[in-house]
Amino acid sequence: MKIKHMVEKFTDFFFSIVTKKNRQYADVLIRDCCMSYEKKTGDYCSYRKRSGSSEDLIVHSGMLSNMSDVAIVMQGPLILENHFTLNTVKLYKRYYPECMVIVSTWKDSNRNEIDSLKTAGAEIVLNTAPNVFGLGNMNFQIVSTRGGIQCAADAGARYILKTRSDQRIYKPHMLEYFKALIEQFPIKKKAESAKQKERIIAVQTTVGGGMFIPYFIADFLYFGTVQDIRNLFDIELDTSPNRTKDERRIWLRDLLSSNPRIRDYYNATAPEIKIVKNYIKKYITENLEDTVKGYWDFVGNYLITVSWDDIGLFWPKYDRYNESNLFRTYSENDNTDLYLQYNWTFQNWLLVNQGIFKYKPEFEKYCMQSCDKLNLKI
């Protein structure tokens, strides 16, 4: 870690000297770094900039739509660095001035930032944090999401966009896009016991091969009717023991040391799977088929999935500087046994929905492989 810290300090110093804090010089340096990477590796490399605030983004007032029937719920702790959550609220209020933006966070949040969020136009919900964190801290998500849903329902919203306080959607008109998708693709084949009103929109996950790990649907963004999103989070709080980051890492390593099957590993570690399976059993059908076939049928009939780039989703977390890995569009570790590039992008969802990607029994073999195939680094 000391070497990594020294390299970061040296890079910061070098960058400051070369660019003289001039953005144009900085752009040239980053471009030249990409060019050098291409010369040395033979691969192609580019970079992407995103505005840190909302003020310098152009919003064409004549193109704005009335989205007053939608509530945007941003759940989770406030990100104070560069006022990330606050600037996200400001951006959404510029895109959708008549749309309710709800920040559902914790009672011990920074009071000055809360006041700034209110000034920016956000409705604030202050929740009591759960004492038991749950698997992957899922109880924090459940509690803060429910608080935001209740606020949206009380205000009479018809739809909810549930997202996170540490994520930002840059593309304008994402709400119009979501509503158009739901209108264009009504629920195709409803189970007799299904209580879902309209399709729920989710976003592609960061886990490679997600299309072949039954019910691994990303849980950080959902769009749907208020009742459908409420039902999605109609789940008991998880009773798994609290673990620090180091304790969780040890637990995961111990689990991997037994070399479980891919499906068993993710069933034990992924709160996303627990949320989706609970929802299906309660609101779609009690006869959940825990297979790739049952999974594809559910996604094809009841969900729509969109790609990160479809909506300009930004998440400054994990390996965010290597977007080819984050978006799972390319992986150096992929091979014909792993399917790492097959994630629930909109393209892949459409191909399943239209029957172009056809299910084959051999797809069940993927998640029955042992976890050593994934070469997970924990």
Side-chain angles (χ1 to χ4, degrees), residues 171-183:
K171 283 191 178 180
H173 310 299
M174 74 278 192
L175 297 182
E176 294 97 321
Y177 176 54
F178 290 154
K179 291 175 76 171
L181 285 175
I182 287 177
E183 183 176 342

Side-chain angles (χ1 to χ4, degrees), residues 68-80:
S68 57
D69 61 341
V70 181
I72 300 175
V73 174
M74 299 169 57
Q75 54 83 208
L78 305 182
I79 307 304
L80 303 180

Side-chain angles (χ1 to χ4, degrees), residues 160-211:
I160 283 179
L161 169 62
K162 178 271 182 198
T163 182
R164 292 173 49 131
S165 56
D166 62 351
Q167 292 184 332
R168 183 179 297 169
I169 297 174
Y170 272 94
K171 283 191 178 180
H173 310 299
M174 74 278 192
L175 297 182
E176 294 97 321
Y177 176 54
F178 290 154
K179 291 175 76 171
L181 285 175
I182 287 177
E183 183 176 342
Q184 186 67 30
F185 297 100
I187 292 176
K188 183 186 293 186
K189 183 181 178 183
K190 214 170 187 179
E192 290 184 7
S193 57
K195 299 175 183 177
Q196 185 170 319
K197 303 295 183 184
E198 299 179 20
R199 285 186 185 268
I200 294 173
I201 294 176
V203 73
Q204 69 183 85
T205 183
T206 60
V207 173
M211 289 178 66

Side-chain angles (χ1 to χ4, degrees), residues 72 86 89-90 92-93 96-103 114-124:
I72 300 175
L86 173 61
V89 168
K90 290 180 178 179
Y92 293 165
K93 292 301 289 186
Y96 300 106
E98 297 175 335
C99 179
M100 174 181 284
V101 179
I102 301 167
V103 177
I114 290 292
D115 291 340
S116 296
L117 285 163
K118 290 179 180 178
T119 301
E123 298 293 326
I124 307 297

